[in-house]
Amino acid sequence: DSGVTQTPKHLITATGQRVTLRCSPRSGDLSVYWYQQSLDQGLQFLIQYYNGEERAKGNILERFSAQQFPDLHSELNLSSLELGDSALYFCASSARLAGGGGTGELFFGEGSRLTVL
Amino acid sequence: GIQVEQSPPDLILQEGANSTLRCNFSDSVNNLQWFHQNPWGQLINLFYIPSGTKQNGRLSATTVATERYSLLYISSSQTTDSGVYFCAVAGNQFYFGTGTSLTVIP
């Protein structure tokens, strides 16, 4: 158990719908990262938060948004869903900010598997 | 951003064989990690190894930061070692390689 909790584990929805994925980082970790992994693909970085503030953006679509709350949990909102959004969405956390003097170890949740029909 | 290249992309081994996976990166980093993604999709931390050598059972890893590469050694492979191995480095964000897909056959 990595200590990073993601819900839901599985989600099936229809095109055009909106879903919210939730992540609780490891206790004490201030940085949260979201990644997308499509079938048989690598990990695509979406967005990073540190202590409530957005710190880096990757290839995140405009239909997607995220935030990190004061209690440090994070949510990833996916709207106007398309078939191509079907993927495994991972949340990860680290103690410190990437780019600082050492990030601390990165830990992943078990992922949320989204299927868009 | 930092380029991370992993080799080989695919590897098929007989159970009991040894293997070496390589990760090259294009710039100095302050963190390097190896992950194993099992067939169920879970990403499991193997090593946090910005430099030096570490061992954990049948697995060991070496990072030579000055030469910008890391190696993951798997000895006496087992079918449970199958999956994808990712290398990740941290610069201003985390950068992942495209992985080595390992299949261990009995």
Side-chain angles (χ1 to χ4, degrees), chain A residues 51-91:
Chain A
N51 204 18
E53 293 187 7
E54 180 186 307
R55 297 305 295 262
K57 259 186 175 179
N59 299 321
I60 187 167
L61 300 172
E62 285 192 9
R63 299 183 287 108
F64 295 0
S65 65
Q67 59 184 126
Q68 186 180 27
F69 294 87
D71 67 352
L72 301 178
H73 91 272
S74 179
E75 293 181 358
L76 178 66
N77 300 296
L78 315 176
S79 62
S80 303
L81 286 167
E82 303 175 359
L83 296 178
D85 297 328
S86 295
L88 196 51
Y89 290 85
F90 285 105
C91 171

Side-chain angles (χ1 to χ4, degrees), chain A residues 8-98:
Chain A
K9 287 189 167 46
H10 301 274
L11 193 54
I12 301 174
T13 188
T15 54
Q17 294 299 304
R18 172 189 170 94
V19 299
T20 297
L21 309 180
R22 182 188 169 100
C23 168
S24 294
R26 280 164 47 96
S27 177
D29 282 0
L30 299 179
S31 281
V32 168
Y33 311 78
W34 286 97
Y35 292 87
Q36 179 193 54
Q37 187 179 38
S38 301
L39 189 61
D40 294 332
Q41 298 294 310
L43 290 157
Q44 295 296 319
F45 169 66
L46 296 178
I47 199 163
Q48 175 191 353
Y49 283 85
Y50 177 76
N51 204 18
E53 293 187 7
E54 180 186 307
R55 297 305 295 262
K57 259 186 175 179
N59 299 321
I60 187 167
L61 300 172
E62 285 192 9
R63 299 183 287 108
F64 295 0
S65 65
Q67 59 184 126
Q68 186 180 27
F69 294 87
D71 67 352
L72 301 178
H73 91 272
S74 179
E75 293 181 358
L76 178 66
N77 300 296
L78 315 176
S79 62
S80 303
L81 286 167
E82 303 175 359
L83 296 178
D85 297 328
S86 295
L88 196 51
Y89 290 85
F90 285 105
C91 171
S93 73
S94 67
R96 295 177 294 279
L97 185 64

